[in-house]
Amino acid sequence: MILNTDVLIIGAGITGLNFALNLRADLDVIILSKNSLQECNSYLAQGGISVLRNEEDYEAYINDTLAAGGFKNRRQAVEILVRESRAAIKRLEELKVPFNRDKNGELIYTREGAHSINRIVHCDDNTGEQLHKVFEKKVSEKVNIKLIENCFFADLLTSKNRCIGALAINEGKELNIIAKATIIATGGIGGLFKNSTNFHSISGDGIAIAIKNNIDVENLNYIQFHPTSFYEDIKDKRRLLISEAVRGEGGRLINKDGSRFVNELLPRDKVTEAIIKEELKSKSNYVYLDLSFLEKDFISKRFPNIYRNCLERGVDITKEPIPVTPAQHYFMGGIKVDMYCRTSMENLYAAGEVSSTGLHGANRLASNSLLESLVFSNRAVEHINRTISPYSVIYKDLIKRLKGDTDYYSNSLSIILQQEIKKVRGDIINELVAL
Ligand SMILES: Cc1cc2nc3c(=O)[nH]c(=O)nc-3n(C[C@H](O)[C@H](O)[C@H](O)COP(=O)(O)OP(=O)(O)OC[C@H]3O[C@@H](n4cnc5c(N)ncnc54)[C@H](O)[C@@H]3O)c2cc1C
């Protein structure tokens, strides 16, 4: 089957939906999602979205991002992110995203590890879900946007170094989707790991397809392991994240003897390293995160979802410490893009976690990811709105290449990416978290 569209967006997380919402209304848009619309990491985001507080915060915010990233960041991307953050949040306020506010209606800013001040806006402790729901509703109201769920992106359609759409499998049938502009927004790589906070289905397909098509990728060794996922003796199940905001609000990391062993507000890679050392020293699979000394009411109101999810797992966080251990969480590397999300292939863009703007360096500062998705997809959208060709793509060379077997293609893409990552990374964390 052949579909024709102006813009094809592969991925329906915050990045993909934000793209679709801001494209010109006269452009036909198709969005693909691998499984259900809600099965994306955007939906899981807890802590919030960082934003520049005021002009005095400009250098501090840049420095926090650079320091967390081990100064391996692309400075231009950091400056763009910080400078354009307020406009991105303003747009969300206009869409009526229900951010937490004080009695005067002003935004409440919280803090997370490695931020020098409180600069994170949030919707309780399920910011991603609430944001995604607002976007879903807005997308459903737009007549120019067609959303196809349970549709597996298997390859790109290309002509020399030009992208002209994608091959996908929907309900066992092959789809050739021809597009003037194609955006890969397929998210991170957590599905490749045994221990990850990501949905298992988010497994780096977009990056593997880029590698297969000789599109530039970079920093495949920049993998972030979140220090605090809930420890459970289970296999092949998504790890419950205990947000960094818990430490931001005063939560303490302690070992089995009840002693603190690290500054909880150091960047994620440093805290992860300290926990792994502590686990090895004490021959334990976990340490504890304690916030039970805080007011019970504050805990259940500030972290209602974490409270409920831990209670379901038998831990009352208002009374006892939480067993935690590091898990794969985020991918800083990916498809190399410029400041308008353009890849090395013509008419092909990549945005969100799948892309590498170079912003995060070797380690992402907390709550900079949703912001990156918004700021850089806004820039790419403006570029597409301005430059998209008025002429349809003519492509006669359609070949039936795919079997309707999603698992087969999914597994082969995972193998391509795992092999590439293993070439550049093979450290102790990888062994513990298991690739
Ligand atoms: C538990 C958790 C908490 C987090 N908390 C925060 C936070 O508080 N603040 C913050 O800034 N960041 C946070 N993050 C990171 C952030 O949520 C993600 O980096 C961000 O949402 C990624 O958005 P995305 O749109 O790029 O990808 P995703 O939201 O993961 O969306 C990927 C989309 O691609 C689709 N897709 C993938 N492969 C295919 C394929 N082969 N075919 C078709 N479609 C495909 C999926 O179906 C999905 O729709 C958190 C992440 C996790 C896991």
Side-chain angles (χ1 to χ4, degrees):
M1 186 176 170
I2 303 170
L3 294 177
N4 258 288
T5 188
D6 291 313
V7 183
L8 169 63
I9 301 170
I10 305 159
I14 288 304
T15 315
L17 298 188
N18 186 60
F19 241 103
L21 284 176
N22 292 301
L23 281 164
R24 276 178 8 214
D26 62 319
L27 295 175
D28 284 334
V29 179
I30 292 180
I31 313 179
L32 309 184
S33 138
K34 188 171 179 177
N35 295 319
S36 74
L37 190 53
Q38 292 74 24
E39 195 170 321
C40 61
N41 285 336
S42 297
Y43 213 79
L44 301 175
Q46 298 178 346
I49 311 176
S50 305
V51 62
L52 176 73
R53 284 296 297 273
N54 45 42
E55 275 310 302
E56 290 79 76
D57 186 28
Y58 183 70
E59 283 303 326
Y61 188 2
I62 287 181
N63 286 336
D64 290 350
T65 303
L66 294 174
F71 299 94
K72 302 270 198 267
N73 324 52
R74 200 164 282 139
R75 191 177 169 107
Q76 187 192 8
V78 181
E79 286 174 1
I80 288 174
L81 178 96
V82 170
R83 186 49 76 204
E84 297 180 17
S85 61
R86 288 215 74 83
I89 297 302
K90 191 153 176 281
R91 237 184 241 210
L92 299 184
E93 292 187 87
E94 283 160 11
L95 292 176
K96 306 263 179 300
V97 172
F99 289 122
N100 290 47
R101 291 176 186 274
D102 64 18
K103 278 184 269 166
N104 302 320
E106 301 295 331
L107 289 170
I108 295 176
Y109 299 89
T110 187
R111 186 166 172 188
E112 297 188 49
H115 282 271
S116 51
I117 64 162
N118 288 32
R119 62 164 81 89
I120 297 163
V121 293
H122 56 97
C123 311
D124 301 326
D125 59 351
N126 62 345
T127 307
E129 180 180 340
Q130 300 203 43
L131 182 55
H132 202 270
K133 280 183 172 152
V134 172
F135 279 19
E136 281 172 37
K137 186 161 179 300
K138 294 280 169 200
V139 163
S140 70
E141 290 162 2
K142 298 256 183 185
V143 291
N144 63 321
I145 303 175
K146 180 183 168 72
L147 177 71
I148 313 178
E149 288 179 85
N150 304 309
C151 189
F152 179 78
F153 162 50
D155 209 346
L156 290 168
L157 285 169
T158 61
S159 167
K160 300 206 174 98
N161 191 39
R162 194 160 62 96
C163 179
I164 45 183
L167 287 168
I169 302 170
N170 183 219
E171 294 173 354
K173 294 200 182 70
E174 180 179 345
L175 279 184
N176 283 260
I177 310 174
I178 315 293
K180 295 176 193 171
T182 301
I183 293 107
I184 302 182
T186 48
I189 62 169
L192 300 181
F193 291 79
K194 203 159 70 185
N195 293 326
S196 174
T197 59
N198 294 190
F199 275 115
H200 198 67
S201 59
I202 305 296
S203 49
D205 300 343
I207 300 157
I209 288 169
I211 292 169
K212 247 181 89 182
N213 285 279
N214 294 320
I215 294 159
D216 291 349
V217 296
E218 66 177 2
N219 300 331
L220 299 188
N221 53 331
Y222 286 179
I223 301 169
Q224 182 170 77
F225 297 87
H226 197 288
T228 55
S229 74
F230 189 100
Y231 174 75
E232 288 172 280
D233 191 10
I234 45 146
K235 288 200 173 69
D236 300 331
K237 207 177 142 202
R238 184 164 64 78
R239 299 276 159 183
L240 170 68
L241 178 78
I242 308 297
S243 168
E244 195 142 16
V246 169
R247 281 173 283 132
E249 298 287 0
R252 289 180 198 148
L253 282 166
I254 51 175
N255 60 19
K256 61 180 184 190
D257 304 322
S259 308
R260 282 176 78 187
F261 56 89
V262 63
N263 169 359
E264 290 82 358
L265 296 181
L266 285 176
R268 286 183 179 168
D269 54 346
K270 301 280 182 296
V271 181
T272 291
E273 211 177 298
I275 294 177
I276 285 175
K277 278 191 187 145
E278 187 58 41
E279 288 178 1
L280 289 172
K281 200 168 106 194
S282 57
K283 297 194 173 52
S284 170
N285 291 328
Y286 52 88
V287 295
Y288 292 103
L289 178 58
D290 189 20
L291 68 161
S292 60
F293 55 89
L294 297 172
E295 283 284 315
K296 181 176 174 170
D297 255 20
F298 170 77
I299 296 175
S300 56
K301 284 205 183 96
R302 176 67 184 86
F303 302 112
N305 292 292
I306 293 174
Y307 174 59
R308 182 176 44 79
N309 280 313
C310 288
L311 211 51
E312 279 169 17
R313 289 164 171 79
V315 176
D316 181 345
I317 65 174
T318 64
K319 296 191 180 133
E320 56 196 322
I322 313 166
V324 291
T325 192
Q328 191 282 341
H329 184 58
Y330 186 78
F331 188 43
M332 281 76 60
I335 303 176
K336 190 174 176 187
V337 292
D338 70 5
M339 299 298 103
Y340 296 94
C341 301
R342 288 178 293 192
T343 69
S344 62
M345 181 175 273
E346 209 184 315
N347 294 343
L348 179 70
Y349 298 73
E353 193 170 336
V354 73
S355 69
S356 173
T357 58
L359 158 72
H360 305 296
N363 175 55
R364 169 174 72 96
L365 180 69
S367 287
N368 260 355
S369 164
L370 291 172
L371 183 62
E372 181 192 36
S373 293
L374 297 165
V375 163
F376 285 90
S377 55
N378 288 342
R379 293 173 70 81
V381 161
E382 276 171 31
H383 185 264
I384 293 173
N385 281 344
R386 253 187 303 116
T387 60
I388 192 162
S389 162
Y391 306 109
S392 301
V393 177
I394 312 270
Y395 187 63
K396 297 190 191 127
D397 187 26
L398 296 177
I399 332 159
K400 198 155 177 60
R401 283 197 259 165
L402 301 177
K403 296 182 276 176
D405 181 353
T406 309
D407 285 347
Y408 168 78
Y409 292 101
S410 188
N411 291 339
S412 35
L413 291 176
S414 295
I415 290 167
I416 292 176
L417 189 53
Q418 279 173 341
Q419 282 172 348
E420 289 301 310
I421 292 175
K422 278 183 184 156
K423 275 189 212 162
V424 289
R425 191 168 172 136
D427 56 10
I428 186 166
I429 296 178
N430 246 4
E431 273 170 41
L432 288 177
V433 186
L435 189 66

